[in-house]
Amino acid sequence: TPAIAAALEDAAKRCVAVTLVTNSPETNDLPEISMVGRGYYKELLAVNDTPEVAACENADAGIHIWEWIGKAPDDPVRQGTMHSKFAVVDGIRALVGSYNLDPRSEKLNSETAVVFLQPDLSNRLRRRFLEDDLKFSREVTPEQAAQFESPESVIERFRKSIGSLFEKEL
């Protein structure tokens, strides 16, 4: 949503390292929705080129987007769809739950989340994310994000347009 995008961009400008992982079209049960979501990557990653982020002493500051592909480079087994929903803030606060960040979940689903202030547990969750989840993902570059926004392939554009028809509902 625009509010979530603004919050992420504001955090990046405060020198926060924001790492997002979402399903790729290969692992999403609704691949066209992933393709629609990809259309927002370029705008989100553009915050990394702002003077505020460039001035950060934290080298990891900014927004980093990864897509879950369900396969590690050294592992022949493909994992399924990533279904976890969690966030870790400052290594001391965390949120875990079933809540999807989309309008459909907000309006129709019965979603829950638990927020806790527990540094040990939050750091374990963070380590698991960095050590396990990212190895099954690929980082999206700004160049890829630009291609995702306006796909060259007619089929990709068609699939994205089909997904766009349902964007507000999903």
Side-chain angles (χ1 to χ4, degrees), residues 83-158:
H83 202 65
S84 59
K85 287 101 170 164
F86 67 90
V88 179
V89 179
D90 297 334
I92 59 172
R93 289 180 176 80
L95 174 143
V96 177
S98 63
Y99 196 88
N100 290 304
L101 296 176
D102 60 49
R104 184 177 195 279
S105 292
E106 187 175 311
K107 295 174 187 170
L108 300 175
N109 294 348
S110 177
E111 304 286 358
T112 60
V114 174
V115 177
F116 52 90
L117 177 61
Q118 175 49 264
D120 290 340
L121 188 55
S122 296
N123 273 312
R124 285 178 48 204
L125 188 60
R126 181 180 178 275
R127 275 194 310 277
R128 173 125 192 210
F129 170 72
L130 293 173
E131 295 170 9
D132 295 338
D133 291 346
L134 290 186
K135 75 179 177 185
F136 294 103
S137 306
R138 64 177 169 235
E139 188 165 14
V140 176
T141 66
E143 296 78 23
Q144 290 169 323
Q147 290 174 343
F148 294 156
E149 185 180 50
S150 301
E152 291 181 19
S153 160
V154 172
I155 293 184
E156 298 284 318
R157 283 196 309 271
F158 177 72

Side-chain angles (χ1 to χ4, degrees), residues 1-137:
T1 65
I4 292 171
L8 296 173
E9 291 168 8
D10 288 346
K13 288 178 180 178
R14 292 190 317 272
C15 299
V16 173
V18 177
T19 303
L20 304 172
V21 178
T22 187
N23 279 298
S24 64
E26 299 97 320
T27 58
N28 194 330
D29 52 353
L30 297 169
E32 288 74 20
I33 297 305
S34 285
M35 296 171 86
V36 171
R38 282 176 158 184
Y40 296 97
Y41 292 178
K42 181 180 173 187
E43 183 180 329
L44 286 169
L45 292 175
V47 74
N48 297 336
D49 296 327
T50 63
E52 296 91 339
V53 175
C56 294
E57 293 179 18
N58 175 4
D60 292 330
I63 295 177
H64 309 275
I65 301 172
W66 293 69
E67 286 188 335
W68 174 266
I69 56 172
K71 184 167 180 351
D74 57 345
D75 189 350
V77 177
R78 181 173 288 280
Q79 308 296 315
T81 297
M82 181 188 65
H83 202 65
S84 59
K85 287 101 170 164
F86 67 90
V88 179
V89 179
D90 297 334
I92 59 172
R93 289 180 176 80
L95 174 143
V96 177
S98 63
Y99 196 88
N100 290 304
L101 296 176
D102 60 49
R104 184 177 195 279
S105 292
E106 187 175 311
K107 295 174 187 170
L108 300 175
N109 294 348
S110 177
E111 304 286 358
T112 60
V114 174
V115 177
F116 52 90
L117 177 61
Q118 175 49 264
D120 290 340
L121 188 55
S122 296
N123 273 312
R124 285 178 48 204
L125 188 60
R126 181 180 178 275
R127 275 194 310 277
R128 173 125 192 210
F129 170 72
L130 293 173
E131 295 170 9
D132 295 338
D133 291 346
L134 290 186
K135 75 179 177 185
F136 294 103
S137 306

